[in-house]
Amino acid sequence: MLRPASGLLISAWICLLAASAAGAAHADSTPPGASRVATLKTENVVLIVPDGLRWQEVFTGAEKALLNDQEGGSWLDQPTLLKNFWRDDMAERRRVLFPFLWGTVARQGQIFGNKTLGSSARVTNGMAFSYPGYNEILTGAPDPRINSNEFGPNPNLNVFEWLNGLPDLHGRVAVFGTWGAFNDIFNQPRSGLMIQAGPHPPKLGKLTPRDALLNELYQTTTLVDADDPYNAFVQVAMLDYVKARRPRVLFVGYGETDNWAHSGRYDLVLTAAQGVDRFVEQLWNTMQAMPAYRGKTTFIITTDHGRGSGPVDWKEHGVEQPGSEDIWIAVIGPDTPALGERSHAQPVTQSQIAATVAAFLGKDFRKAKPDAGAPLPDVIEPQAHATHPVGP
Ligand SMILES: [Zn+2]
């Protein structure tokens, strides 16, 4: 990374931010008479959050002790569970669950949070459940007042709301999630954000037969949590919106991984985790096939909290389940160096995600919300190029 020439580009400050975040000093090798400027390729950012998906599954794959009826509550017989989810080699095993995350995201981007390799990613809210976690992700700071999933409208400014208020992004910010609480977490009445979340049917106005079918499924499917429709439903609505409206800042929240864990169904946790990986790949491929997104879109993928471990605590999370504060954060995009699975890395926190979303778009969220965490280290490296003065 190169030190930017002052006052040349609005994105230049990012270099300074990222450089100071990394604690690095860089020599300027700019030849005499030329200037160095740094520009970001990212024009669109997608933040994707599968709820309560443990770092253990992400980095080590399925846990053998839970691949059964007794501890894992699985309805599949054990030979089928082992065939579907178990491989003796850890790298193969995690790739069975997350082929896109490990085959593409971790190869072309980065992933933080493998504690066994000395990379820590944690929540700082001290509660390790959903609303406090999403608040920390989206507003950049924990808030001890938010101590319940039924807290109601979020009093804190979130980065999506802030970006939507900027002239160049206004109306180009959207939120899709399964969980109805996102309407409160993003404070829809105040933020005015386009939000599709919860069980209400997503399609309005003149409906195609496909739209009508999606609405019908929203209205008629028996849900494990009445306020949290299945991931597959919101995926359809979200992809339609992306193709039609081309949002530049997009949130996608998938709920099933948490719901199936609370239900004690490890087989369905793993199936849902595989499904999320496919959905993320589908969104990535959809976007890369569109000129508005190709080569200029960054994905940030993380989770709102971890969970406990052992034969019982994997189902739950919070202060009573040690380890629930451990999460993971993955980033892929044209401005992110391919450092892969991070090891011996500077610890990172959930509170750094909000400013990172903004920083990829050349914006400084901490100007609006000074208590937000700094952008993640090492994930933003603008391409530097020399410019020669026009003269004399
Ligand atoms: Zn939960």
Side-chain angles (χ1 to χ4, degrees):
M1 186 183 315
L2 292 133
R3 180 154 24 103
S6 60
L8 282 174
L9 276 184
I10 53 161
S11 60
W13 65 269
I14 287 222
C15 218
L16 288 168
L17 259 184
S20 67
H26 299 275
D28 191 336
S29 57
T30 308
S35 304
R36 284 259 174 192
V37 297
T39 53
L40 291 169
K41 290 183 179 166
T42 298
E43 295 176 15
N44 317 282
V45 176
V46 182
L47 174 61
I48 302 168
V49 188
D51 198 300
L53 177 56
R54 298 194 305 175
W55 72 271
Q56 289 94 327
E57 276 71 34
V58 168
F59 292 105
T60 68
E63 185 173 334
K64 200 169 200 175
L66 303 180
L67 288 175
N68 55 44
D69 172 28
Q70 188 72 22
E71 284 81 22
S74 297
W75 288 16
L76 293 172
D77 58 62
Q78 202 174 33
T80 307
L81 285 169
L82 293 171
K83 177 170 130 321
N84 288 358
F85 301 118
W86 185 257
R87 302 294 180 272
D88 288 331
D89 179 75
M90 197 185 67
E92 271 182 55
R93 192 162 66 243
R94 69 190 187 184
R95 202 166 163 151
V96 165
L97 281 187
F98 304 104
F100 181 69
L101 184 69
W102 288 110
T104 301
V105 178
R107 280 200 178 166
Q108 298 174 22
Q110 301 184 28
I111 181 164
F112 294 90
N114 190 343
K115 286 171 67 174
T116 66
L117 296 181
S119 172
S120 162
R122 308 183 85 181
V123 308
T124 68
N125 58 64
M127 286 180 259
F129 62 91
S130 287
Y131 197 145
Y134 290 110
N135 173 71
E136 182 174 340
I137 291 172
L138 298 167
T139 73
D143 183 347
R145 293 173 297 175
I146 296 175
N147 58 5
S148 157
N149 283 339
E150 289 75 43
F151 181 79
N154 194 336
N156 305 311
L157 177 71
N158 73 71
V159 70
F160 282 68
E161 173 181 14
W162 181 69
L163 292 169
N164 192 48
L166 303 179
D168 52 330
L169 292 168
H170 188 69
R172 305 295 303 279
V173 181
V175 174
F176 282 80
T178 56
W179 195 25
F182 286 126
N183 291 295
D184 279 337
I185 292 168
F186 285 89
N187 199 332
Q188 202 286 330
R190 184 194 67 209
S191 66
L193 287 167
M194 195 324 281
I195 300 180
Q196 170 63 41
H200 68 275
K203 299 292 188 176
L204 302 167
K206 192 171 184 302
L207 303 184
T208 66
R210 186 171 173 280
D211 294 338
L213 174 61
L214 182 63
N215 278 0
E216 186 178 341
L217 290 171
Y218 260 84
Q219 288 168 306
T220 57
T221 301
T222 304
L223 300 172
V224 65
D225 174 345
D227 197 34
D228 204 350
Y230 295 116
N231 294 344
F233 294 5
V234 86
Q235 181 77 1
V236 172
M238 182 272 290
L239 287 174
D240 283 357
Y241 187 90
V242 165
K243 290 173 194 164
R245 305 292 296 273
R246 299 191 306 278
R248 289 188 52 200
V249 192
L250 175 66
F251 175 89
V252 187
Y254 297 112
E256 281 182 48
T257 36
D258 190 66
N259 291 335
W260 293 126
H262 286 303
S263 306
R265 290 289 305 275
Y266 194 60
D267 53 344
L268 296 183
V269 169
L270 300 179
T271 305
Q274 275 180 330
V276 165
D277 187 81
R278 261 199 309 276
F279 289 145
V280 175
E281 179 179 32
Q282 185 183 28
L283 178 59
W284 180 262
N285 289 341
T286 298
M287 287 183 153
Q288 294 301 320
M290 297 171 67
Y293 294 108
R294 186 185 311 124
K296 41 193 172 185
T297 300
T298 289
F299 277 21
I300 302 170
I301 315 162
T302 186
T303 192
D304 55 330
H305 54 74
R307 323 188 73 79
S309 55
V312 176
D313 277 0
W314 66 271
K315 299 173 193 174
E316 308 294 339
H317 53 88
V319 289
E320 291 177 6
Q321 285 77 29
S324 298
E325 66 279 11
D326 294 316
I327 58 166
W328 49 274
I329 305 172
V331 184
I332 180 174
D335 301 304
T336 299
L339 299 182
E341 184 177 19
R342 300 301 305 271
S343 61
H344 308 292
Q346 179 181 341
V348 297
T349 67
Q350 190 170 54
S351 63
Q352 296 181 266
I353 294 169
T356 306
V357 169
F360 272 115
L361 297 164
K363 318 286 188 191
D364 184 0
F365 182 51
R366 293 195 293 172
K367 278 186 187 156
K369 197 155 185 307
D371 64 342
L376 291 166
D378 312 329
V379 302
I380 304 178
E381 188 167 287
Q383 307 296 310
H385 57 266
T387 59
H388 297 276
V390 183

